[in-house]
Structures are given as C-alpha cells and as structure tokens.
Amino acid sequence: MTLLEIFPSLRSGMPSPRVDTSVWPCETHYDDLGRITVGGVALADIADQYGTPAYVLDETEVRRRCQAYRKHFPDAEIIYAAKALMTKSVARWISQEGLSVDVCSAGELAIALAADVDPQRIVLHGTGKPFCELEAAVAAGVGRIVIDSLTEVTLLAALATKPQQVLLRLSPDIDVHGHPAVRTGVTDQKFGLPLGSAQADEAIARIMRHPNLKLVGLHCHLGSQIHEADFYGEAVRRMVAEMARIRRDYDVTLTELDLGGGHAVAYRCGDAEMNLAELADIVDDSLDAACALNHFPRPHIAMEPGRAIVAHAGVTLYRVMAVKHIEGGRTYVIVDGGMNDNPRVALYGARYDAVVANRHPTGPHMTATVAGRYCEAGDILAADVSLPADLRPGEVLAIPCTGAYHHSLASSYNGVGRPPIVAVHEGRCHEVLRRETPADLLSRDLG
Ligand code: LLP
C-alpha cells in the first residue's frame, strides 16, 4: 500500500490517476474524503441533490475548448455544431467565446434564438430540411443555409424574397475509414451532392440563376472521430480546385470554405485525438498550395466542431443498483441509467471507462461490465472495466467524456425520462436542464 492509499486526503487538490485529464475535464480533483470533484463540486453531492442518472457539464471546460479553437484558428470562423449538445446555456457560453452556431432543425434554431444568438451567426444544416424549417430559418434571418439537394434549391427559391446567403454541401470522395454510420465524405452516402457530379453542377447553375440566392461558398463534412489532420488538407485541395472551376465556368468567386467538423476526442486514456496545432498548420499549408496552384484568392475558412467542444466537459453519474457475479460468466454492475442516456455503445460500439466517484477505492479491484437498467441485452455502458471489488449498491459511478451526443441522442425508452444536465462552475452547480418526468411523458399523450 502506498501512503496515498492509506491517506487519500493527501490527494486533495491533486489530479488523481483515477481521473486522467485527457479524458476528464481539466478541473477534476479529489476532495478530502477521496471523492471526485469536477469544477469544484463533488460528483457524489450532485448525485444526492439532483438524483441519478445525471449529466454533469463543466462550463469552464466548454469555454476552454472554445478558446483553444480561437487560439489555433484566429482567422477562421468556428461554428459550434449544436447537434452534439444544445441547451440555452451552452449556446450562450459558446457565443460569448466568439463561436457561431450550426443548427440542423427548427428545434435547435429555436434554442439558439432563445439564447439570443445573433441570427447572422447561425448556419442551417441538414439533409431533408422540411419546408417549414427552411421557412423558419429564412424568417429568423439566419446568416447562411447549407443546401443539401436540388429540391432544397427549389424550396429556397420559393422562400427567398430577399437576398439569402447559401453554401452548397459537396462530398469530396474522401474516405476517413470510420464507422459506416459516421463516414460522410465518401460519394455513396446521403449528405450533399458528389463533387464534380452532374447534380452538383445543376445545383450550382440553379442557385446562380436565382436573384436572391447568394452562393458564397462550399461546404464538406468528412465524418466523425477523425484524428489524422491530413484528411482536411486533402479536402482543402479538392474543394479549392472546385471553387476555381466554378470561377472559370460562372465568373463568380466564392469566398467561403466550410470544412465541417469531425475532430476526434479521446473517450478513454490512450485514444487518439485531433491535434489542433497540427490541423491548423495542415489547413494553412494546403490552402497556400491549393490557392497558388489554382490562382485562386484565399477563401475564408470555417470549421464546425461539436464533439471537440463539449465531449470532455461532460460526466454522467449513475447509482449502482446491483452487483451480479454470474457463475462461469462476467460480473455485471447494474446501474440506474444506460442506453437511454448513452446509446453510443449500442450504436457504434463505443468504449468508455467507469470509476467510483463517492470514495477513494483502496482495496482490490475486479473486472466488471457496467450494464444499464433497460430491457435490452445490448444495454451495456462499459465492458470489462476495472472497479473496486467491494463495490456496493448505492455507490456512485461516473463515466467521463459524455458531453457530446449523449443528451442529444437520449431517448425515453421504457418510459424513463431523460436525465437532467447539471452545470458546474468554480465550486457551484445549477441545473440547466431538468429531468424529464412521467408527467412530461404524459403531457404528450392525448389519449
Ligand atoms: N458539421 C456537420 C455538417 C455534421 O454533420 C456534424 C456531425 C458536425 C459538423 C459535427 O461533428 P463533430 O465535430 O461533432 O464530430 N452521433 C454520432 C455523431 C454524428 C455526427 C453527425 N454530424 C456520435 O455520437 O458519434
């Protein structure tokens, strides 16, 4: 036994080995009782006060990530992809840090507007945007709309009674080799139109013909969890070449190039992450080269990170409900959440770490699988993780890196409402989104 294990209080104020900052928010420490604190608040206290499961969101970490983007890309527009996590508080924090917002539905648009985001700094995305959502976006005066299909050109042509800036989403045929569900840069997928295709050409021609549709640039989004910056360099080369071709054919110089999001974060210690300094260098160099080669003026770059802004700011808390040692099988730690609040394991085979948050684990460890409460065998949160062998029902487990695509993908399967989001900041916490209750579920049921 080490001294630190005998006197856990020695760790007070120190980042602990249980909580690696490549996965946890920077402001993660232990308190005198050996409990994990985030943003100066003990996770066990949050579990007691707001119940479990609960999403904890560290405001400082969200702001820190925004600032990192502003620092590495001082000349680019950083557009937060709201699909990762959207609440009024998040929209406020990221706008205060100088980011724009990408929304992909009338719901996300409504939240951005309710948070007083400047409509000019809102970009509307989405494949298959319903007419009424395009109408709401045009009426709100959103800065740009990213056109995804020929039909959208027709719908927008009918709606735009005053000038509306638009981008065209193209797939540049770049394969980032991710999970098929999140590989969007290849030609054979549903988003945008293939670069160089007859349909893309037709869309450009139709937009150009419309007096109120102002094509200002091109957009591409290569996929998710990309840690090799070179893919973005290749996207720059292909997209700038296309912008030069458009100038030759239509005598119009597009000034914006939106490279989408998809920057990887580490979900567990040792996972590869996107290095922003390297990405900035590669984008810069490839822009220089591509613009020189095509004699094209440097376009204004935009990027749309979602996950890289909020993932590490989030930690989900669960209460242990039961520990089952299956003879000849695994040990299952059953918790009071699961696939409703984190469907990413079932959807993409994502892997997470889980740790006990309410005490310092001093004794031996066991290998266990953290499973959820829902009526599906695939409702697993973390397979084969190391947990204290004496873990008991009632203890609090925390799963880090759950700020992105957790609440936004959550469901109310089995009639269990979505968890609250509790924001922490400089030693204080407050609920920014309350728990969904049976009364909420009933309020939609018209009988
Ligand atoms: N821009 C566009 C047009 C997008 O479609 C997306 C994500 C982003 C930006 C932001 O990508 P990010 O930087 O967050 O990777 N549910 C999946 C992720 C789906 C991403 C869809 N589009 C997951 O949980 O991994």
Side-chain angles (χ1 to χ4, degrees), residues 81 83 102 125 169 182 219 221 224 261-263 304-307 344 348 405 409:
K83 54 181 76 66
D102 136 19
H125 263 292
R169 178 163 177 171
V182 287
H219 173 280
H221 174 72
S224 295
H263 310 157
E304 301 171 339
R307 189 186 325 256
R344 297 193 71 261
Y348 319 113
Y405 303 108
L409 284 180

Side-chain angles (χ1 to χ4, degrees), residues 69 79-84 102 104 125-126 146 169 181-182 184 191 219-226 232 258-264 267 303-310 343-344 347-348 350 352 404-406 408-409:
Y69 271 92
I79 310 173
Y80 170 65
K83 54 181 76 66
D102 136 19
C104 67
H125 263 292
V146 182
R169 178 163 177 171
V182 287
T184 54
F191 297 100
H219 173 280
C220 65
H221 174 72
L222 304 181
S224 295
Q225 281 294 78
I226 303 167
Y232 291 89
D258 185 335
L259 296 170
H263 310 157
Y267 279 89
M303 297 203 177
E304 301 171 339
R307 189 186 325 256
I309 300 287
V310 289
R344 297 193 71 261
L347 278 173
Y348 319 113
Y352 292 84
Y405 303 108
H406 285 73
S408 60
L409 284 180

Side-chain angles (χ1 to χ4, degrees), residues 284-320:
D284 212 44
D285 290 352
S286 51
L287 257 182
D288 277 346
C291 291
L293 183 71
N294 295 284
H295 306 290
F296 194 79
R298 223 177 139 90
H300 190 225
I301 291 291
M303 297 203 177
E304 301 171 339
R307 189 186 325 256
I309 300 287
V310 289
H312 283 130
V315 175
T316 308
L317 305 182
Y318 303 96
R319 193 77 64 179
V320 175

